[in-house]
Amino acid sequence: MVEHRLLSSSLITLLFYLVAGKIKLPILTTTAGLIWLSISFFYYTWLKKTNVSIAWIFPISCILVSFAPYQVIVWPMAAMQHLSVIFMGYLTIYLLTIQDFQGKKNLTLSFFLLATFIAITATFSAGNGMLAWPTGILILVLKKEFKFLLIWICCSIFATAGNFWNSTLNGTPSDNSIKTFCTNFFKEIISFLAGLGGGIRFQGHESFLDDCNFQFSLKYPPIYLGLFIFISFIYLFVKTLKFKNNIFLPIVGTSVFIFLTVALLVIGRTPPNGDLVVFKSRYYIYSIAAIINTIFILAAISKSSKWHQWFLLVTTLFSIGFWGIWEVLSSHKLINHSNTLQVGQFNWRENDQWVIYQSTAYFENYFNSFFNEVKNKAFGFELPQTILNKAFQEKKWNETHFSPLKKIHISTDVGYKRLVRLNMVNDQVKPIRHLDEGYVVIMASQKDTFLLWSLVSPTGLRNFLKTGDRCSKGYRVEVELDPEKIPKGIYFFHQFYYSSEDAIARKKPDGKIVFK
């Protein structure tokens, strides 16, 4: 995509390849997670230097480690891109303001040059990395560091121009949305506020393939949380200007960086009909940062108030609830993601097709061609050995473990091209409790075998408190297949349960389908 150069992600991936001789996707995701957790260092430092109680690091940490951005746990590239660019944005601001906490009056050349280098790296790592420059301009102006300001502006011009060199926005989502910005101005303002508060949008899709937008409406609670976040920032910003106190510049700077990122996201992604694009888990990273900054603002403005402890208590309860709700409600989504990706890897290993993306116009061809090219070139890229793959090799056939599938429905001509949609339900099998277990449906002919992924549903907070189960009983299959990419034959459906300790397949078929 022309909007992201992915420099930092590429450098980290290259480093792992040079050191280990291979690339492991879980290692990349773990690295991105560690980068994200390191942001807590900035907040700890800023709390300490602003004489705000360190106890506030607890609610901040609860928000930071929540499962709200669950997509970045299973999408290595999304994790590397979004988490690393936020870290670099924060690091740039930290370096530009560090001397305010060291008792020094002016910014030193060494910290300025280091901040400039980080900003350049961020620029070539993601589209919103360029926003480190306007944020830096604001900080330098407020600090009256005019001797560095001109250099910073010149570097920003060259870096931004270099980022757009030999690229075009024609035909990209950003290009289409820029053209309709004026007609959607009000909706995009609302979408901006919704993006700031999106972290409390607990409802969502259960499959990562359902990455659709939401119809525009003023009924979403995140809009009003976003408004509160923005008003809190304005209060702190006005206070900073009024008292000419640079002590809160890091929070002002990081807030501006996050606000500009969400604004750029809204402008660049909003479709012509004005649907909300911000309610996607990978974008909740920015909402989390905005919520944490608001917590910091509450801590700062109340530190001398008699209500300070009450603010701390309420904020702590909110953050624990926020973490707990996402812990419960995201579990089934992580299970669905894990199940789907393991099925995709199995199908690719066995059939050179991921299959899970066949309902899309782009991803199936991209994944198949990319991984086949990697395999043919013997590149040091290693997919993880999945529990599903091992369990399938050790499966045992059993008639009593499963109840029959219900509501098997097969339809054709779905969507923009001729697809076969399979819908199946089994609402009696035991609930899934761990990421290392799941249900799939084996679709097998005499020559070929494919696996069909399943979806489980959340049990809800009330049932979770009663039973401890995060998923409800049963599972369902909602699959769209491209008949032109499935080898001809008569395929029978067999249910299959897998875990790290067990692998049971139902011998009696629950139905069949013919691909001609």
Side-chain angles (χ1 to χ4, degrees):
M1 181 175 289
V2 298
E3 296 147 297
H4 304 302
R5 294 290 189 177
L6 306 178
L7 175 60
S8 61
S9 303
S10 300
L11 290 176
I12 293 173
T13 304
L14 177 62
L15 177 62
F16 277 118
Y17 177 67
L18 294 176
V19 172
K22 61 181 67 174
I23 301 169
K24 295 186 177 181
L25 295 180
I27 297 298
L28 295 180
T29 306
T30 302
T31 301
L34 293 175
I35 292 173
W36 175 244
L37 290 178
S38 65
I39 289 177
S40 61
F41 161 78
F42 298 122
Y43 286 108
Y44 176 83
T45 301
W46 295 331
L47 283 171
K48 193 174 181 180
K49 297 299 182 180
T50 53
N51 296 320
V52 177
S53 173
I54 297 299
W56 285 87
I57 197 65
F58 179 77
I60 286 174
S61 298
C62 286
I63 302 294
L64 190 70
V65 300
S66 71
F67 274 155
Y70 58 87
Q71 280 181 325
V72 300
I73 298 175
V74 291
W75 286 11
M77 185 51 64
M80 293 296 293
Q81 176 196 334
H82 293 290
L83 301 182
S84 63
V85 77
I86 291 181
F87 173 80
M88 287 186 287
Y90 274 54
L91 182 56
T92 300
I93 295 163
Y94 175 81
L95 293 170
L96 290 176
T97 58
I98 189 172
Q99 83 291 337
D100 293 320
F101 304 114
Q102 294 180 339
K104 298 179 181 179
K105 185 177 181 180
N106 297 316
L107 177 63
T108 61
L109 179 62
S110 58
F111 283 125
F112 174 78
L113 292 178
L114 188 54
T116 303
F117 173 76
I118 298 300
I120 292 173
T121 305
T123 299
F124 289 94
S125 296
N128 58 321
M130 293 182 291
L131 302 177
W133 299 109
T135 304
I137 290 175
L138 175 63
I139 290 176
L140 292 174
V141 169
L142 292 176
K143 289 168 58 65
K144 298 182 179 179
E145 295 282 0
F146 299 114
K147 66 178 182 179
F148 290 123
L149 180 60
L150 181 60
I151 301 174
W152 185 265
I153 292 175
C154 291
C155 290
S156 69
I157 293 173
F158 283 110
T160 304
N163 183 54
F164 284 109
W165 183 262
N166 198 31
S167 66
T168 176
L169 292 178
N170 186 34
T172 66
S174 298
D175 173 52
N176 295 331
S177 294
I178 290 173
K179 293 175 181 177
T180 59
F181 173 68
C182 293
T183 59
N184 283 330
F185 182 75
F186 172 74
K187 290 184 177 180
E188 293 190 3
I189 292 295
I190 300 301
S191 186
F192 166 75
L193 296 176
L196 296 182
I200 65 168
R201 173 69 182 176
F202 300 114
Q203 301 91 343
H205 299 292
E206 295 166 10
S207 168
F208 70 88
L209 296 179
D210 294 327
D211 199 41
C212 62
N213 301 327
F214 285 79
Q215 185 176 4
F216 178 84
S217 172
L218 295 176
K219 67 181 181 181
Y220 300 112
I223 295 173
Y224 305 99
L225 175 60
L227 181 61
F228 176 75
I229 289 172
F230 189 74
I231 292 174
S232 300
F233 164 75
I234 294 298
Y235 176 85
L236 183 68
F237 185 66
V238 171
K239 187 175 181 180
T240 300
L241 293 178
K242 182 177 180 180
F243 294 101
K244 298 180 180 180
N245 189 346
N246 293 339
I247 195 170
F248 295 120
L249 271 186
I251 300 303
V252 170
T254 53
S255 295
V256 169
F257 180 78
I258 295 301
F259 289 174
L260 291 176
T261 294
V262 176
L264 188 66
L265 169 66
V266 170
I267 295 173
R269 301 297 185 202
T270 299
N273 62 5
D275 283 352
L276 298 176
V277 298
V278 292
F279 293 149
K280 298 179 181 179
S281 173
R282 60 188 179 277
Y283 297 151
Y284 290 168
I285 287 290
Y286 305 108
S287 175
I288 285 177
I291 292 172
I292 289 176
N293 276 4
T294 304
I295 291 175
F296 196 107
I297 293 172
L298 290 175
I301 64 178
S302 68
K303 67 177 181 178
S304 301
S305 169
K306 63 180 181 179
W307 299 101
H308 182 76
Q309 294 301 322
W310 285 104
F311 275 124
L312 177 58
L313 176 61
V314 171
T315 303
T316 300
L317 292 176
F318 167 79
S319 64
I320 292 174
F322 184 90
W323 177 86
I325 292 174
W326 275 113
E327 178 75 15
V328 174
L329 297 185
S330 65
S331 295
H332 78 288
K333 298 176 183 178
L334 293 174
I335 288 172
N336 290 339
H337 281 51
S338 175
N339 181 282
T340 306
L341 290 174
Q342 289 189 73
V343 166
Q345 291 182 27
F346 175 90
N347 288 332
W348 178 69
R349 283 190 171 105
E350 298 297 321
N351 306 287
D352 289 332
Q353 294 188 65
W354 280 73
V355 180
I356 61 175
Y357 296 106
Q358 284 188 0
S359 62
T360 67
Y362 169 75
F363 291 105
E364 181 73 11
N365 290 332
Y366 172 79
F367 270 70
N368 291 340
S369 60
F370 173 79
F371 284 96
N372 287 336
E373 182 179 355
V374 167
K375 182 170 63 175
N376 294 334
K377 289 185 176 181
F379 185 67
F381 179 91
E382 182 176 311
L383 285 172
Q385 181 64 27
T386 66
I387 294 172
L388 173 58
N389 192 61
K390 181 180 178 181
F392 187 84
Q393 298 171 3
E394 300 173 356
K395 64 182 179 296
K396 300 176 182 178
W397 296 95
N398 186 297
E399 292 292 348
T400 60
H401 187 83
F402 296 93
S403 59
L405 284 172
K406 298 179 180 179
K407 304 176 183 177
I408 298 179
H409 180 70
I410 302 174
S411 56
T412 58
D413 296 324
V414 179
Y416 70 98
K417 62 179 181 179
R418 182 174 177 267
L419 296 173
V420 174
R421 174 176 289 171
L422 304 178
N423 293 84
M424 312 174 192
V425 176
N426 187 331
D427 56 8
Q428 298 300 317
V429 292
K430 67 177 184 178
I432 297 298
R433 294 184 170 90
H434 306 286
L435 275 175
D436 63 354
E437 64 175 338
Y439 297 102
V440 300
V441 170
I442 303 171
M443 187 179 76
S445 67
Q446 291 184 344
K447 295 181 179 180
D448 302 285
T449 298
F450 294 88
L451 297 187
L452 307 179
W453 57 103
S454 69
L455 298 173
V456 296
S457 298
T459 186
L461 289 175
R462 183 180 300 176
N463 289 332
F464 169 75
L465 295 175
K466 282 184 179 181
T467 65
D469 292 332
R470 300 177 182 180
C471 300
S472 58
K473 290 172 55 178
Y475 70 93
R476 65 189 188 279
V477 173
E478 298 173 356
V479 174
E480 292 179 355
L481 303 176
D482 187 344
E484 296 181 1
K485 296 180 179 179
I486 303 296
K488 297 179 181 180
I490 302 175
Y491 290 82
F492 293 91
F493 302 128
H494 300 270
Q495 298 181 73
F496 178 47
Y497 167 79
Y498 68 91
S499 71
S500 58
E501 300 176 353
D502 214 348
I504 303 173
R506 176 176 165 88
K507 188 173 184 179
K508 183 179 180 180
D510 287 278
K512 66 179 181 180
I513 185 173
V514 179
F515 287 97
K516 300 180 180 180

